Each structure stands twice: as structure tokens, then as C-alpha cells.
């Protein structure tokens, strides 16, 4: 018993000392970063004392204004994760509100440190900017009504040509729907609001929109909207930074990785619940699953 008690005391003591050592390491992280490459944006941001993020303000659930006129959304949460990692303060951010067409130019001219604006990763864009690891996988999904006899994907599939689907007009619209509902009747409309309005007015049985929009609308208005349970055409969303700065890109990737798969996940998990109505993933110690 004495040996056991002594062992326990040593473990507790070691744990306390380990905690103090960890605090010391964290406390000196900023000083260590000051010794990093002088031409890295990481050092510039730390010296400046705040992060500059390019994003939008009109696309829920990604970036939009709340009732106080403050930016919120999933993209804003990812920006706060970076600020928290940099300064242990998620509020140390200057947001630059920009049109989608300004995303690449504002990165390459140095107007912003990072763009977090539901930016789809593609080989063509990767020739212009450096992308972070993906923080979300977007796709096309089917929004239906909870009072419909065709509210699930199986219902729509069984309905054949009598299933009516609205989608934003584009060259691939018909083909996109036919990938999963080969017999459906496709209605192409000129704007995303009109795509959903067609569902509201019962002109169609389902609206083919982004998966994130399906989750957002079904969470906010469960009496009006239902997730049919089908998504396809996966597209990766990532943050964009200027090319040629591996230190800054590595920091962004590391911080996102810890938030998504590791222990500093409070902001990420709250965003999943608030904007998508999702249960955050369980992080199980052991072998990595990513």
C-alpha cells in the first residue's frame, strides 16, 4: 500500500509539473514565433497584434450579419479559430468584407492575411493561391417539405418523372439532377431564392441546393423544410493564403487540424451545432482517423 501511495503521489506531482511545463511552453510560443523567418506573414501578424480576414456578409450560414450587424457564420467561426490560435483571443480580427470576385486579388495584393469565404478548392485556383486543408465538404442536396408525400430521397426516386426538382439555372443543372434522379422533371430558375420559392409554393417537390443550405433551413424552419437525406457532387472548402509562405500556411493547417480533429474544438463544435444543427464528431484517442 505504501508503494502504491508513493507512486500515486509521484504521478500527481509529475502531472502538476507537466502542466506547469506546458504553460511555460505556451507562454513562450509568441516569443519563439518572433524568431521565425522575418519574411513570413506569421511573424508580421503576431507583431501587428490582430488577424486580417477577407470574407463576405450576405450568405448564410457561411457569412452574414446577426441582429446587431456583426458578422457571424461558419466562415467567421473558422476565422475566430485562427485568431484564438494566434493570440489566445478569438476577437483579435479585422474583417474585410469583400465580393467573391475579390477573394484572389485581395490575397495576392496583401490586403488580407487569409480569405475564409466558402471558397471551393480547385486545381485552377490553386495555381493562384495556396489553400489550407479543407474545413468542410460541400455538395448538392435535396430540400423538401415535411408535409410532402415525396419528402425523402427514396420517395422522389420512386416517383420517377412525376418528381419535380428546382435548381439554379446553369449549363450542368439538368445533368446534376439526373445523376441521382434520372427520371425527374427539372425546373431551372434564375436565382437561388426562386429555387426555394418554387418549393414553398409547391410548384416542385424538392429544391436542389447546397447541402449547407439544406441543413441551415431545416434547422431554422423544421415546420417548412426537410432534409431529404441525399447529397452528391462533393466540393472542398478551404481558406486561401498567398503562395510562397510555408510557415503561415503550416500554421493555418495546424490550427484547423487541432480544431476539427483535436482537443481545441469548442468554437468549431459550437458552429456545427448553431449553423448546421449537427452533433460534433467524437474525437477518440488512439490511431488517427484523418
Amino acid at each position: 500500500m505504501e508503494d502504491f501511495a508513493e507512486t500515486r503521489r509521484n504521478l500527481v506531482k509529475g502531472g502538476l509539473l507537466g502542466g506547469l511545463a506546458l504553460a511555460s511552453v505556451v507562454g513562450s510560443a509568441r516569443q519563439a514565433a518572433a524568431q521565425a523567418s522575418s519574411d513570413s506573414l506569421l511573424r508580421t501578424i503576431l507583431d501587428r497584434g490582430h488577424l486580417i480576414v477577407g470574407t463576405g456578409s450576405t450568405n448564410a450560414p457561411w457569412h452574414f450579419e446577426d441582429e446587431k450587424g456583426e458578422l457571424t457564420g461558419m466562415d467567421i467561426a473558422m476565422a475566430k479559430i485562427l485568431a484564438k490560435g494566434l493570440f489566445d483571443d478569438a476577437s483579435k480580427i479585422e474583417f474585410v468584407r469583400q465580393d467573391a470576385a475579390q477573394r484572389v486579388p485581395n490575397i495576392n495584393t496583401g490586403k488580407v492575411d487569409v480569405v475564409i469565404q466558402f471558397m471551393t478548392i480547385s486545381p485552377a485556383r490553386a495555381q493562384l493561391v495556396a489553400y489550407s486543408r479543407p474545413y468542410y465538404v460541400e455538395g448538392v442536396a435535396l430540400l423538401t417539405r415535411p408535409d410532402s408525400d415525396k419528402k425523402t430521397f427514396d420517395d422522389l426516386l420512386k416517383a420517377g418523372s412525376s418528381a419535380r426538382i428546382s435548381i439554379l439555372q446553369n449549363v450542368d443543372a439538368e445533368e446534376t439532377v439526373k445523376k441521382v434522379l434520372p427520371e425527374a422533371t427539372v425546373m431551372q430558375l434564375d436565382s437561388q431564392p426562386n429555387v426555394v420559392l418554387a418549393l414553398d409554393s409547391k410548384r416542385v417537390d424538392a429544391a436542389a441546393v447546397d447541402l449547407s443550405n439544406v441543413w441551415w433551413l431545416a434547422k431554422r424552419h423544421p415546420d417548412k423544410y426537410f432534409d431529404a437525406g441525399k447529397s452528391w457532387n462533393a466540393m472542398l472548402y478551404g481558406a486561401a493564403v498567398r503562395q510562397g509562405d510555408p510557415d503561415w500556411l503550416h500554421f493555418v493547417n495546424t490550427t484547423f487540424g487541432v480544431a476539427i480533429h483535436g482537443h481545441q474544438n469548442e468554437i468549431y463544435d459550437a458552429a456545427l451545432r448553431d449553423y448546421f444543427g449537427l452533433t460534433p464528431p467524437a474525437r477518440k484517442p488512439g490511431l488517427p482517423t484523418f
Side-chain angles (χ1 to χ4, degrees):
M1 291 294 293
E2 290 180 359
D3 289 343
F4 174 78
E6 182 66 22
T7 299
R8 185 175 183 277
R9 283 194 296 271
N10 288 337
L11 286 172
V12 171
K13 181 179 178 182
L16 291 173
L17 291 176
L20 292 173
L22 179 59
S24 176
V25 169
V26 172
S28 63
R30 201 154 296 128
Q31 292 90 326
Q35 301 172 28
S37 174
S38 60
D39 59 356
S40 174
L41 189 55
L42 175 58
R43 179 171 174 177
T44 301
I45 295 167
L46 290 169
D47 290 343
R48 184 201 300 139
H50 69 276
L51 177 68
I52 303 175
V53 177
T55 194
S57 60
T58 59
N59 293 281
W62 293 100
H63 39 262
F64 61 101
E65 294 183 353
D66 63 15
E67 62 277 1
K68 298 179 181 178
E70 297 178 354
L71 285 176
T72 188
M74 191 69 198
D75 284 337
I76 308 307
M78 299 309 297
K80 291 180 177 180
I81 286 168
L82 281 184
K84 178 74 172 176
L86 287 162
F87 307 108
D88 198 27
D89 185 341
S91 69
K92 290 195 172 183
I93 307 174
E94 173 189 344
F95 286 109
V96 174
R97 304 185 188 209
Q98 59 188 20
D99 184 81
Q102 296 174 298
R103 292 179 295 188
V104 171
N106 284 352
I107 277 291
N108 288 329
T109 59
K111 185 174 182 178
V112 299
D113 302 323
V114 59
V115 164
I116 309 178
Q117 193 173 355
F118 64 4
M119 197 168 179
T120 304
I121 298 173
S122 72
R125 283 180 175 164
Q127 297 173 41
L128 305 173
V129 296
Y131 278 108
S132 73
R133 63 180 300 157
Y135 60 85
Y136 176 77
V137 182
E138 187 61 281
V140 182
L142 295 168
L143 184 70
T144 58
R145 298 187 311 274
D147 61 349
S148 171
D149 60 354
K150 301 183 186 71
K151 70 177 183 178
T152 70
F153 174 70
D154 286 343
D155 295 334
L156 293 165
L157 191 60
K158 291 175 183 176
S161 60
S162 68
R164 300 160 299 163
I165 314 298
S166 60
I167 189 172
L168 183 64
Q169 185 176 25
N170 63 76
V171 294
D172 300 322
E174 185 94 10
E175 179 184 354
T176 297
V177 174
K178 298 288 188 178
K179 280 183 179 179
V180 297
L181 294 170
E183 299 179 33
T185 301
V186 180
M187 179 187 296
Q188 298 190 42
L189 299 171
D190 60 353
S191 71
Q192 199 76 294
N194 283 338
V195 170
V196 178
L197 185 60
L199 177 67
D200 293 340
S201 61
K202 300 185 179 181
R203 294 167 59 205
V204 297
D205 302 299
V209 296
D210 288 345
L211 176 61
S212 56
N213 291 134
V214 169
W215 284 340
W216 170 251
L217 291 172
K219 177 184 182 297
R220 286 172 58 85
H221 305 289
D223 56 323
K224 290 180 60 178
Y225 301 116
F226 185 80
D227 178 359
K230 178 66 176 180
S231 59
W232 68 103
N233 277 17
M235 298 171 287
L236 307 179
Y237 283 179
V241 300
R242 194 171 182 176
Q243 292 179 338
D245 190 345
D247 287 351
W248 175 226
L249 178 59
H250 182 67
F251 178 84
V252 174
N253 281 333
T254 299
T255 306
F256 281 2
V258 172
I260 297 169
H261 299 290
H263 64 294
Q264 296 178 350
N265 49 45
E266 294 85 0
I267 297 174
Y268 187 78
D269 287 1
L272 291 182
R273 287 188 291 263
D274 292 345
Y275 306 122
F276 302 141
L278 300 179
T279 300
R283 285 84 173 183
K284 297 180 180 180
L287 294 176
T289 57
F290 54 90

